[in-house]
Amino acid sequence: MKEKNQLPVNLNIKVSTMKFNLNLVKSILAVAGIAAVSGVSAAPASAFSFSNIASDNTSGDAYVNSFSFDVLDNGSNNVLFNIFNNNTDRSAAEIFIAAVHLDTGSNTNLLSNFGIINGRGVNFTEGATPLPQTNNLATPWSTDFAAGINRTRDGVQTGEVLGLSFTGNYNNVVDALNNGTLRLGMHVRGIGQKGDSDVFVSTGNTEATPEPLTMLAAGAAVGFGTMFKKQRAQAQKAE
């Protein structure tokens, strides 16, 4: 039998497309993959936020929620503070953390063996100028540990992180942060066109959070940070 001639069929299938920032997507997916793998053995972690200091300086009040930190139990009586710049406001792309201070209050034995872990693009060294505005706090402030920068570009920019390592009991540290006997203060600069600065102080938060979620949020911030840095670079070339 002769085979019947087959008629060619051309199918034109239109697939809808969506525009994404490829670098942002890659950053988020990469960190999400790491988070998924590490989720089974994630160390205990607690997330904290910051509040404004009531004063005449309100230049940074709108950005207080752009910053956060978590405390991780690293085992062997070691705790790690990760301080994040999660800013996603393109109009405030220049905002950065310039110094961090810790006040242990009467908890003289709570933390010891202070160490700095600089994330990519960050370069803090031990010591910093006094934290401004603390005279407006209801409870007097006394800095026990501090770290700061010498150059603006070394600060914690959008999507970057600063780590502080200590010898200490994780549960005791989290309890002290929650009841306010341990406080973390932060000096933020580069606010607005005039490059103003402001100070934020930690607030208690009893909600524990698994580390992979923190990593995912940080990954998203890294993606936005990449976009902001490209925008700054392009603006500088155009000038």
Side-chain angles (χ1 to χ4, degrees), residues 48 50 65-72 81-87 97 156-162 186 211 214-215 217-219 221:
F48 296 88
F50 291 93
N65 293 326
S66 296
F67 304 93
S68 64
F69 72 98
D70 61 27
V71 180
L72 277 67
F81 289 68
N82 284 322
I83 305 167
F84 301 97
N85 180 344
N86 303 313
N87 174 46
I97 304 170
V156 184
Q157 311 284 348
T158 296
E160 295 179 340
V161 59
L162 169 69
M186 181 177 63
E211 176 60 7
T214 302
M215 293 172 65

Side-chain angles (χ1 to χ4, degrees), residues 99-115:
V100 292
H101 295 245
L102 278 95
D103 177 6
T104 62
S106 60
N107 304 306
T108 55
N109 298 320
L110 184 66
L111 298 171
S112 61
N113 297 324
F114 178 38

Side-chain angles (χ1 to χ4, degrees), residues 44-168:
S46 294
F48 296 88
S49 55
F50 291 93
S51 63
N52 300 307
I53 294 179
S55 69
D56 295 334
N57 187 347
T58 60
S59 60
D61 289 5
Y63 306 106
V64 64
N65 293 326
S66 296
F67 304 93
S68 64
F69 72 98
D70 61 27
V71 180
L72 277 67
D73 182 356
N74 273 353
S76 301
N77 211 36
N78 178 265
V79 291
L80 176 65
F81 289 68
N82 284 322
I83 305 167
F84 301 97
N85 180 344
N86 303 313
N87 174 46
T88 56
D89 184 353
R90 296 188 184 187
S91 65
E94 303 293 334
I95 195 169
F96 66 95
I97 304 170
V100 292
H101 295 245
L102 278 95
D103 177 6
T104 62
S106 60
N107 304 306
T108 55
N109 298 320
L110 184 66
L111 298 171
S112 61
N113 297 324
F114 178 38
I116 300 171
I117 304 173
N118 287 308
R120 184 176 181 181
V122 177
N123 187 16
F124 275 60
T125 56
E126 188 172 351
T129 57
L131 193 62
Q133 302 182 36
T134 52
N135 59 314
N136 293 305
L137 292 170
T139 303
W141 181 278
S142 178
T143 294
D144 297 296
F145 304 96
I149 60 173
N150 294 318
R151 301 175 299 180
T152 296
R153 66 184 183 184
D154 294 333
V156 184
Q157 311 284 348
T158 296
E160 295 179 340
V161 59
L162 169 69
L164 303 179
S165 176
F166 295 91
T167 295

